Amino acid sequence: MIIQLDMQSELPIYTQLVNQIIEGIASGRLKPGEPLPSVRSLASDIGINLHTVNKAYTLLKQEGFILVHRQRGVVINPDSMPEITKAYMGKMRGELRPIVAEAISRGMSQEQLLQEMEQIYQEITQTDKEYD
Amino acid sequence: MIIQLDMQSELPIYTQLVNQIIEGIASGRLKPGEPLPSVRSLASDIGINLHTVNKAYTLLKQEGFILVHRQRGVVINPDSMPEITKAYMGKMRGELRPIVAEAISRGMSQEQLLQEMEQIYQEITQTDKEYD
DNA sequence: TAACTGTTATACTTATAATACAACAGTTAT
DNA sequence: ATAACTGTTGTATTATAAGTATAACAGTTA
């Protein structure tokens, strides 16, 4: 699992970590049951503090993306992924809304916008690569 | 212009202000040339500090959504809206990407996702209302 | 026994968000 | 003229979040 951090980003480090791990799952690079580095080794590898990694793992655990066996380590949830709950849909719409509004203000058509979304979806799920 | 703030939100107040004004423009409720409340009156109306409103206005001005005449006040840009620049597209894609990734992880299909986006686009631009 | 695992606790630093109070320069209506 | 308004700027303060540093605990594994 390759992690790319932007220290100049306005996004907190732990948020960037969460995002990249979720994208790893979405892309298939991280498969169910696959182990993740320990909080200490990952922190050491990318040069950040243990607590920052721990915060990201804790969030991912609360949502159900990963499982934590007390002394065995961290793994991608081997059984299931988080559901499409009403709470999640509300969160997602709340995030999309200002993005869509700005696009409209700038004159972007619905077709353009949907095409961008489709493009990103394809980029993430592109099947022409295998990760083993 | 009705402003609805969520003081419990993780989003800063000035960000909520920016978002709501941009959505006002996108929906047509705020038309080109239309005046916005002064920093003091808006701050007073919604019970926040002058500087918080000023920060939101400054950001909107920098992007080109509003114009500020030194002593005349603030208006929605009467001539043009910000363009769809490469920088903007990069920002937009960077915001969409983690949202799409999470949706994929949770098993949402491309069709479902596009439908949500379309729904939000329609909600914002619905033409069955007139704002005069 | 030594090296590892997640977890927890405390303390500290830094940056951002928001507020409070004040003033300046220019405009507008009385 | 003068009072009331405009955006702008400055400084100081408080609160919260982010990140780091150091340390320890309990259980696992080689």
Side-chain angles (χ1 to χ4, degrees):
Chain A
M1 183 66 187
I2 302 142
I3 299 288
Q4 281 286 43
L5 290 185
D6 177 5
M7 290 310 193
Q8 315 307 325
S9 169
E10 75 290 348
L11 288 178
I13 297 174
Y14 73 88
T15 302
Q16 295 184 50
L17 274 177
V18 166
N19 286 346
Q20 294 205 23
I21 289 171
I22 291 179
E23 182 168 334
I25 296 172
S27 71
R29 274 178 284 119
L30 293 177
K31 300 189 196 309
E34 186 163 332
L36 289 177
S38 74
V39 287
R40 285 180 181 81
S41 65
L42 180 53
S44 172
D45 280 356
I46 57 188
I48 61 176
N49 189 274
L50 164 162
H51 287 97
T52 306
V53 177
N54 191 248
K55 186 168 185 177
Y57 278 5
T58 299
L59 288 171
L60 289 165
K61 180 178 62 177
Q62 284 172 350
E63 298 290 330
F65 289 102
I66 63 178
L67 290 188
V68 179
H69 293 82
R70 174 77 190 187
Q71 260 74 17
R72 220 170 305 170
V74 181
V75 297
I76 306 297
N77 191 325
D79 304 316
S80 64
M81 277 291 120
E83 308 279 339
I84 302 175
T85 61
K86 288 185 181 179
Y88 163 68
M89 288 302 293
K91 190 198 74 165
M92 193 202 67
R93 292 194 185 107
E95 290 168 351
L96 279 179
R97 196 170 182 88
I99 300 174
V100 174
E102 177 164 1
I104 294 172
S105 293
R106 290 176 181 260
M108 192 175 296
S109 71
Q110 186 181 107
E111 289 69 30
Q112 279 179 281
L113 197 50
L114 293 181
Q115 195 171 339
E116 283 302 322
M117 179 77 103
E118 193 175 327
Q119 171 72 21
I120 293 168
Y121 195 104
Q122 294 299 329
E123 280 178 20
I124 296 175
T125 61
Q126 53 184 315
T127 66
D128 61 343
K129 285 182 180 171
E130 284 295 327
Y131 309 97
D132 295 88
Chain B
M1 184 64 188
I2 304 142
I3 299 289
Q4 281 287 46
L5 290 184
D6 178 5
M7 290 308 193
Q8 316 308 325
S9 169
E10 75 290 349
L11 288 178
I13 296 175
Y14 74 88
T15 302
Q16 296 184 50
L17 274 177
V18 167
N19 287 346
Q20 295 205 23
I21 290 172
I22 292 179
E23 183 168 332
I25 296 172
S27 71
R29 275 178 284 117
L30 294 176
K31 299 188 198 308
E34 186 163 332
L36 289 178
S38 74
V39 288
R40 286 180 181 81
S41 65
L42 181 53
S44 173
D45 281 357
I46 56 186
I48 61 175
N49 191 271
L50 164 162
H51 285 98
T52 307
V53 177
N54 190 248
K55 185 167 184 178
Y57 278 5
T58 299
L59 289 172
L60 289 165
K61 180 178 64 176
Q62 285 173 349
E63 298 289 330
F65 288 103
I66 64 177
L67 291 188
V68 179
H69 292 83
R70 174 75 190 190
Q71 261 72 17
R72 221 171 304 172
V74 182
V75 296
I76 305 296
N77 192 327
D79 303 315
S80 64
M81 276 292 120
E83 309 280 338
I84 303 176
T85 61
K86 287 186 181 178
Y88 163 68
M89 288 302 294
K91 190 198 74 166
M92 194 202 66
R93 292 194 185 105
E95 291 168 350
L96 279 180
R97 197 170 181 90
I99 299 174
V100 174
E102 177 164 2
I104 295 172
S105 292
R106 288 175 182 262
M108 194 175 295
S109 71
Q110 187 181 105
E111 288 70 29
Q112 279 179 280
L113 197 50
L114 293 181
Q115 194 171 337
E116 283 301 323
M117 179 76 104
E118 194 175 327
Q119 170 73 20
I120 293 169
Y121 195 103
Q122 293 299 330
E123 278 178 19
I124 296 175
T125 61
Q126 53 185 316
T127 65
D128 61 344
K129 286 182 179 170
E130 283 296 326
Y131 310 97
D132 296 87

